[in-house]
């Protein structure tokens, strides 16, 4: 926070004295009843009730919490968000974790917690189409065309009546901003339970007076000029002498940092408290009385005139621990961001269009629901959509978006948790983060080093502000050698509508010699220059020389906080730096850790700063290769591959007996004129029948060709004679068939099946290169001169040339 | 000029009283000590009777969880020896030494968080 000159003078007035007080908000019950449904089952959302002992169903408002327990007011069975109520049943959020049974006690309280709202998609009966709902049964009408506001109305609050029996609380909606760039909030309507005035219309009600101790809820309704409507609630606890806050307690730990996204505290209560005084999800406010010298005044906090509020958070589920021996209750408290980390969410994806309803109606095969389409989407609209329709975050804490409302075509929010969805979107799209300050305000900011100086805080830390010497971490070896960044400059629906990708690298075309490569993609960009600037700044930040400078402050310096980011000039003279060199650079607050000594009333922080590079380098453009035109992948560029020269084919002259073997291809039963394929040994020529075997080959040479049949007995029989002839039919391409034969001869043949026989029957004829020659071997098995008593196989022909 | 707690005079005035030296929480960058903004005062009795001891203990118990009383003590550093009622003082449990006959010896009462 920026201090006035008077505040700065006071801050440096010693001694600092701080008394911290602990408030645990006790929600007021508005409705009490019991379940009246003997058949109620797990997953029920319409809870029928009877035995109303407090209030009426009309007192139940949307998003109020309901405790479900086995005793009146108990929440041992669970707690659930209410959505609506009738005279007979309460409609709650979709659930499966509550074991509903008849006669359980229901307690609806005027309290709003951070919860998810689940979407629901149902398959339309008999079709493949779906209908989408938000928060179980909210159908789409025009929600993605009318965007509302991020409400800022101040933190949850606690304070004590003064000697006059009054306590004044300051209210303003300054900082409330529309998610749409050119829209403005129109009307603000306040309701102050327990306060005077009780209502107000306008941005800044100013001071509201409380005179009665109690726990109250303030509501604001904000409407926009575009007919948007949003609401938010803050809980106010007022204490008095007869109803004090928790008195006997210890602050074990209070610390926060930007990486964690907020603060965490561990608190111990040592006094007797009633059952359910501290519940899972209870709102905790630590507030202070401060003195600077003799002046009683609080300095600090981002919310206007809420300087006394030190920390706001919620009791983390499952951390309440009772120590019966030493008689204390201990629990952990987290900033709203911490609660969001523990809150389940659903993945949400949305796309930019000009008319969500019309687009979904026209192309249901592409756009199953208008809920998945945002009109003229920007980063802030996407964030608003997610927070508004998938959580109660904006009902429970201030939210402020600090960044460019960049046009984007797609927005994806992951499923991990409510916090992860928002933080991941900020990091990947805008190079930013989602961080809660100590008072529980949710800041959605781009990282401070990505822009020219922003929020330069003139406060200069000097030797009177810190104890001892600062701790300086100096990085001599970079941990990042190269940053490769990429993203899309989207022209939107109303402008050019173009989608231009850009890439950039830093420190330039040549990476550093030490460190890793960091790749960043998915950034929402304006143009190449924007990306080059961003890549350079990211590289400069990742390789900054002073990643950490830490101070133990001498007093209650609550003007420092982890959000929003502010730029501080830190000067450390050489004699204060153990490294011996002076430091004079810009820094921002990365983390804070508080120590409270109640006996000495000292509340002292350790503040961790991180350097903002003063002269960031500029990234360089990485050209993106053109996108191939078709969908089959990249076109192969024409590559001329010269054919290798074909060497001349030299056919060796075949002279003399140079046999080649040509195998048999088929056999013919001459009697039945049936052709048979070869068996594994050749063409079978059956005993006692007339069979002819064939071989086909091309003449590899010119000259006299001699063919000799090669046979083998199929099974061993007695030797004998074969009555057979060898013939041929041949021709060149386009030529006339020529044939010749040996005529029938009786040839001696062995009956031994292990002997390969080249018969003494040859046929010679002339041929030229390329002649197609069919050689045939005829067994006249019917002849009495054929005395080999068994089948034979024609294996083929030996062919020789002269 | 008497010591009082919550407007009631101590039935046995302390033998000695002392503003306790403050331990600095640290030293700033200029070497200046950082003192807390509150002080402590210690009352000592060499010997007191049982009823006076009971009076001290009762004040401690009565303070309960709030633990604060109005203590009239010697003014912290003034031009003259005068007493001043300091409010919001935290009363610590008195400590008692050995019994001597029917008396308590070495009794100490510490008052802290005194804004001077």
């Amino acid at each position: 926070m920026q201090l006035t000159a008077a505040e700065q003078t006071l801050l440096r007035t010693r001694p600092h004295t701080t008394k911290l007080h602990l408030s645990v908000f006790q929600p007021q019950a508005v409705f009490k009843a019991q379940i009246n449904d003997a058949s109620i089952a797990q997953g029920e959302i319409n809870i029928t009730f009877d035995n109303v002992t407090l209030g009426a169903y009309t007192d139940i408002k949307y998003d109020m919490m309901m405790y479900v327990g086995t005793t009146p007011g108990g929440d041992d069975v669970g707690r659930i968000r209410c959505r609506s109520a009738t005279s007979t049943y309460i409609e709650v959020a979709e659930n499966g974790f509550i074991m509903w049974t008849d006669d359980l006690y229901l307690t609806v309280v005027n309290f709003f917690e951070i919860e998810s709202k689940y979407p629901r998609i149902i398959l339309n009966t008999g079709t493949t189409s779906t209908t989408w709902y938000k928060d179980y049964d909210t159908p789409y009408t025009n929600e993605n065309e009318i965007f509302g506001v991020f409400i800022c109305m101040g933190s949850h609050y606690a304070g004590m009546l003064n000697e006059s029996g009054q306590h004044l609380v300051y209210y303003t909606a300054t900082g409330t901003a529309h998610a749409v760039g050119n829209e403005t909030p129109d009307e603000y309507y306040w309701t102050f339970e327990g306060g005077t005035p009780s209502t107000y219309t306008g941005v800044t009600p100013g001071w509201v007076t409380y005179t009665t101790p109690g726990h109250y809820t303030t509501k604001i309704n904000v409407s926009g000029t575009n007919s948007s409507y949003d609401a938010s609630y803050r809980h106010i606890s007022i204490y008095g002498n007869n109803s004090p806050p928790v008195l006997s307690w210890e602050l074990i730990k209070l610390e926060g940092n930007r990486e964690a996204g907020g603060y965490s505290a561990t608190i111990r209560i040592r006094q007797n408290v009633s059952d359910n005084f501290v519940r899972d999800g209870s709102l905790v406010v630590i507030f202070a009385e401060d003195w600077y010298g003799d002046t009683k005044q609080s300095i600090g906090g981002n919310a206007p005139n809420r300087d006394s509020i030190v920390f706001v958070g919620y009791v983390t589920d499952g951390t309440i621990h009772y120590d019966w021996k030493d008689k204390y209750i201990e629990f952990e408290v987290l900033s709203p961001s911490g609660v969001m980390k523990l809150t389940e969410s659903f993945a949400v994806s949305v796309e930019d269009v000009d008319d969500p309803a019309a687009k979904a109606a026209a192309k249901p095969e592409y756009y199953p629901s208008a809920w998945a389409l945002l009109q003229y989407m920007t980063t802030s609209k996407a964030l608003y959509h997610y927070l508004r329709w998938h959580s109660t975050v904006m009902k429970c804490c201030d939210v402020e978006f600090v960044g460019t409302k960049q046009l984007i075509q797609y927005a994806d929010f992951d499923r991990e948790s409510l916090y992860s969805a928002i933080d991941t979107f900020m990091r990947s799209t805008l190079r930013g983060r989602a961080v809660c300050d100590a008072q529980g305000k949710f800041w959605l900011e781009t990282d401070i080093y990505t822009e020219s100086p922003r929020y330069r805080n003139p406060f200069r830390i000097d030797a009177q502000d810190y104890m001892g010497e600062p701790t300086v971490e100096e990085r001599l070896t970079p941990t990042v050698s190269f940053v490769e960044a990429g993203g899309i400059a989207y022209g939107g629906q109303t402008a050019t509508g173009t989608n231009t990708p850009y890439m950039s690298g830093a420190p330039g075309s040549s990476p550093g010699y030490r460190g890793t490569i960091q790749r960043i993609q998915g950034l929402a960009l304006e143009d190449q220059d924007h990306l080059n600037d961003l890549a350079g700044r990211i590289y400069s930040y990742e390789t900054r020389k002073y990643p950490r400078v830490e101070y133990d402050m001498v007093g209650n310096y609550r003007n420092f906080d982890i959000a929003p980011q502010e730029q501080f000039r830190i000067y450390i003279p050489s004699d204060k730096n153990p490294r011996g060199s002076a430091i004079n650079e810009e820094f921002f607050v990365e983390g804070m850790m508080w120590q409270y000594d109640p006996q000495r009333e000292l509340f002292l922080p350790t503040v961790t700063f991180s350097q903002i590079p003063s002269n960031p380098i500029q990234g360089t453009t990485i050209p993106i290769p053109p996108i191939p035109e078709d969908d089959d992948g990249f076109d192969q560029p024409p590559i001329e591959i010269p054919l290798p020269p074909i060497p001349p084919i030299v056919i060796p002259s075949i002279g003399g007996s140079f046999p080649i073997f040509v195998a048999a291809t088929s056999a013919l039963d001459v009697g039945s004129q049936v052709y048979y394929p070869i068996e594994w040994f050749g063409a079978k020529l059956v005993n006692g029948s007339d069979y002819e075997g064939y071989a086909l080959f091309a003449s590899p040479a010119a000259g006299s060709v001699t063919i000799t049949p090669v046979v083998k007995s199929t099974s061993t029989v007695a030797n004998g004679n074969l009555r057979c002839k060898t013939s041929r039919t041949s021709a060149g391409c386009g030529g006339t068939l020529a044939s010749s034969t040996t005529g029938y001869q009786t040839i001696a043949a062995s009956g031994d099946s292990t002997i390969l026989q080249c018969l003494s029957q040859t046929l010679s004829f002339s041929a030229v290169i390329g002649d197609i020659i069919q050689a045939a071997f005829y067994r006249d098995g019917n002849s009495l001169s054929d005395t080999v008593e068994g089948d034979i196989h024609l294996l083929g022909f030996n062919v020789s040339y002269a | 000029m008497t010591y009082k707690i919550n407007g009631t005079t101590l039935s046995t005035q302390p033998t000695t009283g002392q503003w306790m030296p403050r331990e600095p929480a640290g030293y700033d960058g200029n070497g200046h000590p950082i003192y807390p903004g509150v002080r402590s005062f210690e009352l000592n009795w060499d010997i007191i009777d049982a009823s006076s001891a009971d009076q001290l203990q009762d004040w401690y118990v009565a303070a309960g969880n709030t633990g604060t009383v109005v203590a009239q003590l010697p003014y912290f550093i003034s031009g003259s020896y005068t007493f001043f009622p300091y409010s919001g003082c935290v009363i610590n449990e008195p400590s008692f030494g050995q019994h001597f006959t029917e008396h308590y010896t070495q009794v100490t009462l510490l008052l802290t968080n005194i804004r001077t």
Side-chain angles (χ1 to χ4, degrees):
Chain A
M1 91 182 256
Q2 300 226 10
L3 301 175
T4 63
E7 286 173 331
Q8 189 164 310
T9 301
L10 196 60
L11 189 69
R12 286 180 165 146
T13 303
R14 297 204 201 137
H16 291 194
T17 307
T18 298
K19 283 190 70 168
L20 294 182
H21 301 285
L22 175 66
S23 167
V24 181
F25 184 75
Q26 302 301 306
Q28 300 304 303
V30 299
F31 183 82
K32 290 184 178 180
Q34 285 181 267
I35 294 178
N36 179 29
D37 185 350
S39 61
I40 193 169
Q42 182 184 1
E44 183 61 60
I45 61 170
N46 291 327
I47 314 302
T48 307
F49 60 83
D50 65 357
N51 292 343
V52 175
T53 57
L54 177 71
Y57 77 91
T58 51
D59 295 324
I60 300 173
K61 307 295 181 213
Y62 180 60
D63 285 342
M64 277 185 174
M65 293 304 294
M66 181 169 79
Y67 301 142
V68 184
T70 54
T71 57
D75 64 350
D76 50 300
V77 177
R79 60 187 203 278
I80 190 76
R81 180 174 57 89
C82 300
R83 298 194 303 118
S84 67
T86 70
S87 58
T88 55
Y89 67 86
I90 301 170
E91 190 176 59
V92 298
E94 199 174 0
N95 68 91
F97 59 95
I98 295 184
M99 295 298 125
W100 302 105
T101 53
D102 196 20
D103 293 328
L104 284 178
Y105 291 89
L106 306 174
T107 307
V108 180
V109 290
N110 190 1
F111 185 52
F112 299 83
E113 287 190 46
I114 292 173
E115 295 280 340
S116 271
K117 294 184 179 180
Y118 290 161
R120 187 167 71 106
I121 300 173
I122 61 170
L123 184 64
N124 297 322
T125 307
T127 73
T128 56
S129 66
T130 55
T131 301
W132 292 31
Y133 300 96
K134 297 296 180 186
D135 199 15
Y136 191 76
D137 61 1
T138 302
Y140 182 83
T141 51
N142 60 0
E143 289 81 1
N144 287 351
E145 299 150 57
I146 297 178
F147 297 88
V149 300
F150 296 111
I151 292 177
C152 293
M153 60 181 289
S155 64
H156 298 291
Y157 188 87
M160 293 199 287
L161 299 177
N162 58 22
E163 290 99 7
S164 305
Q166 291 184 336
H167 190 88
L168 275 58
V169 180
Y170 187 83
Y171 289 96
T172 180
T174 304
T176 298
H178 216 287
V180 183
N182 57 358
E183 294 283 354
T184 54
D186 186 28
E187 280 195 2
Y188 303 77
Y189 184 73
W190 301 77
T191 308
F192 305 107
E193 183 188 29
T196 303
S198 60
T199 62
Y200 182 85
T201 301
V203 177
T204 301
W207 298 99
V208 173
T209 305
Y210 295 82
T211 56
T212 305
H215 300 274
Y216 307 106
T217 299
T218 296
K219 180 183 180 184
I220 187 173
N221 299 328
V222 181
S223 57
T225 50
N226 61 346
S227 304
S228 65
Y229 173 85
D230 294 279
S232 197
Y233 302 86
R234 296 295 176 271
H235 300 296
I236 313 296
S237 297
I238 302 297
Y239 299 96
N241 286 336
N242 296 326
S243 52
V246 178
L247 295 171
S248 181
W249 67 286
E250 297 170 56
L251 180 61
I252 308 296
K253 178 196 80 169
L254 175 60
E255 60 188 18
N257 61 76
R258 291 190 58 80
E259 187 60 38
Y263 288 81
S264 66
T266 303
I267 294 171
R268 193 176 282 178
I269 295 178
R270 289 189 174 277
Q271 70 185 60
N272 290 331
V273 293
S274 60
D275 287 347
N276 298 322
F277 180 81
V278 179
R279 302 176 189 257
D280 286 346
S282 285
L283 173 67
V284 170
V285 176
I286 298 176
F287 61 105
E289 293 177 87
D290 300 294
W291 289 261
Y292 298 90
D294 294 327
T295 304
K296 184 176 181 181
Q297 181 177 331
S298 293
I299 300 175
N302 294 313
N305 291 312
R306 299 275 172 107
D307 305 74
S308 63
I309 306 302
V310 173
F311 171 67
V312 173
Y314 296 86
V315 175
T316 311
D317 287 10
T319 63
I320 301 174
H321 157 75
Y322 295 88
D323 188 312
W324 303 111
K325 175 170 171 288
D326 290 336
K327 296 185 173 46
Y328 63 79
I329 307 169
E330 186 173 299
F331 49 90
E332 188 177 276
V333 182
L334 295 176
S335 290
S337 52
V339 177
M340 290 169 68
K341 286 183 182 180
L342 304 175
T343 307
E344 179 79 24
S345 72
F346 273 75
V348 173
S349 294
V350 285
E351 182 179 340
D352 174 49
V353 295
D354 54 356
D355 188 334
K359 205 67 114 181
K363 290 191 175 181
E365 67 276 19
Y366 292 131
Y367 307 117
S369 171
W371 274 119
L373 306 170
L374 260 61
Q375 188 179 55
Y376 309 135
M377 181 163 63
T378 62
T379 48
S380 63
K381 283 184 180 179
L383 288 164
Y384 175 85
H385 168 83
Y386 183 83
L387 288 172
R388 174 72 172 84
W389 298 108
H390 302 89
S391 78
T392 59
V393 170
M394 295 201 295
K395 293 241 173 109
C396 303
C397 62
D398 288 2
V399 178
E400 185 162 338
F401 175 72
V402 182
T404 306
K405 294 186 170 86
Q406 204 74 39
L407 287 169
I408 52 175
Q409 190 174 12
Y410 302 101
D412 295 295
F413 296 92
D414 64 32
R415 197 198 157 140
E416 297 264 344
S417 68
L418 275 183
Y419 176 79
S420 171
I422 297 293
D423 188 61
T424 303
F425 177 83
M426 287 296 299
R427 289 186 192 234
S428 61
T429 309
L430 294 171
R431 192 68 181 185
R433 302 223 192 150
V435 180
C436 271
D437 65 18
Q439 295 178 328
K441 179 172 177 175
F442 206 31
W443 294 85
L444 308 176
E445 297 180 277
T446 53
D447 287 346
I448 194 168
Y449 56 84
T450 62
E451 300 175 19
S452 298
R454 180 178 77 194
Y455 290 140
R456 176 168 271 145
N457 194 310
F459 186 84
R460 297 283 295 262
I461 299 172
D462 63 26
Q464 65 179 304
D465 297 311
Y466 57 84
M467 285 206 242
E469 311 225 335
T471 301
V472 177
E473 180 182 324
E474 184 176 334
R475 179 185 286 149
L476 301 175
T477 305
T479 56
V480 172
S481 63
F482 189 78
V483 168
E484 179 188 280
I488 302 285
Y490 177 58
Q493 297 287 330
T494 55
T496 61
T498 55
N499 232 329
T500 310
Y502 296 110
M503 287 183 68
S504 180
S509 56
S510 175
Y513 288 94
R514 294 287 186 275
T516 60
I517 297 173
Q518 194 177 105
R519 290 190 172 85
I520 302 156
Q521 49 193 318
L523 294 167
L525 304 170
E526 295 168 9
D527 50 32
Q528 182 71 62
D529 289 342
H530 175 210
L531 179 60
N532 288 347
D533 181 65
L534 190 55
R537 287 176 180 274
I538 293 171
Y539 176 82
S540 297
Y541 175 74
E542 295 291 344
T543 56
R544 61 200 184 283
K545 190 175 181 185
Y546 300 108
R548 186 175 70 98
V549 171
E550 202 166 84
Y551 289 101
D552 293 323
M553 307 306 286
V554 299
N556 178 14
Y557 283 67
R558 295 210 303 275
N559 55 311
F560 295 118
D561 206 335
I562 60 174
Q565 297 164 94
E566 295 178 294
Q567 207 156 308
F568 294 90
R569 170 68 62 166
I570 288 180
Y571 173 67
I572 301 175
S574 55
D575 60 341
K576 294 292 181 189
N577 183 2
R579 288 273 296 163
S581 56
I583 297 171
N584 189 10
E585 299 286 344
E586 301 280 348
F587 288 78
F588 67 97
V589 177
E590 174 62 42
M592 297 198 67
M593 186 171 67
W594 292 89
Q595 302 280 348
Y596 180 51
D597 182 342
Q599 188 171 46
R600 297 195 290 177
E601 295 183 0
L602 287 171
F603 189 45
L604 305 177
T606 299
V607 186
T608 303
F609 293 89
S610 194
Q611 185 190 1
I612 303 169
S614 52
N615 292 308
I617 63 166
Q618 191 75 358
T620 56
T621 302
I622 297 176
I624 298 176
I627 299 169
E629 291 183 357
D630 58 40
D631 293 330
D632 296 334
F634 290 98
D635 289 336
Q636 184 72 29
I639 300 173
E640 297 291 337
I641 303 175
L643 293 173
I646 301 172
I649 299 172
V650 176
I651 302 172
S653 64
I654 301 174
S657 299
F658 190 91
I660 62 175
F661 180 78
V662 293
T665 56
S666 59
L668 170 67
D669 182 341
V670 176
S672 63
Q673 287 295 299
V674 174
Y675 284 91
Y676 293 94
I678 61 168
E679 296 179 343
W680 67 282
F681 241 129
K684 187 174 177 184
L685 309 180
V686 176
N687 178 43
S689 299
D690 289 354
Y691 268 75
E692 192 168 39
Y694 304 97
L696 195 66
F697 62 100
S699 177
S704 174
V705 182
T706 300
I707 57 177
T708 303
V710 180
V711 301
K712 187 184 83 65
S713 284
T714 300
S715 57
T716 297
V717 295
N719 297 339
N721 294 322
L722 289 175
R723 172 96 171 142
C724 56
K725 66 176 178 179
T726 296
S727 61
R728 62 98 186 177
T729 304
S730 62
C733 288
T736 306
L737 287 171
S739 60
S740 59
T741 182
T742 59
Y744 288 106
Q745 296 173 349
T746 302
I747 305 295
S750 168
D752 189 342
S753 64
T754 65
I755 293 178
L756 198 70
Q757 304 174 64
C758 298
L759 295 179
S760 58
Q761 184 179 68
T762 61
L763 175 65
S764 296
F765 54 91
S766 296
V768 299
I769 293 177
D771 276 358
I772 305 301
I773 303 169
Q774 183 189 61
F777 178 76
Y778 190 108
R779 181 184 183 185
D780 188 6
N782 281 316
S783 169
L784 293 175
S785 298
D786 191 297
T787 58
V788 175
E789 294 290 330
D791 301 335
I792 61 166
H793 275 99
L794 173 68
L795 275 67
F797 296 86
N798 272 340
V799 180
S800 62
Y801 295 83
Chain B
M1 298 296 173
T2 55
Y3 291 86
K4 293 182 181 180
I5 289 181
N6 288 342
T8 302
T9 303
L10 272 65
S11 53
T12 303
Q13 293 290 296
T15 309
T16 59
Q18 177 190 5
W19 286 103
M20 302 304 290
R22 293 186 301 183
E23 288 295 319
Y27 297 83
D28 70 10
N30 294 321
H32 298 164
I34 307 299
Y35 291 110
V38 294
R39 298 181 186 275
S40 303
F41 191 94
E42 187 178 89
L43 297 88
N44 295 288
W45 292 260
D46 292 338
I47 186 166
I48 58 174
D49 59 21
S51 67
S52 297
D54 185 56
Q55 183 187 45
L56 299 178
Q57 187 69 17
D58 282 348
W59 273 320
Y60 166 71
V61 170
N65 277 339
T66 66
T68 65
V69 296
V70 177
Q72 182 167 286
L73 305 169
Y75 206 101
F76 177 76
I77 308 298
S78 74
S80 60
Y81 185 71
T82 57
F83 277 66
F84 182 84
Y86 292 97
S87 62
C89 306
V90 172
I91 181 169
N92 290 251
E93 186 173 35
S95 66
F96 303 95
Q98 293 178 336
H99 287 268
F100 178 72
T101 60
E102 295 174 358
H103 292 70
Y104 295 86
T105 65
Q106 306 303 317
V107 177
T108 300
L109 179 68
L110 182 66
L111 299 166
T112 59
N113 297 76
I114 305 170
R115 268 184 202 81
T116 58

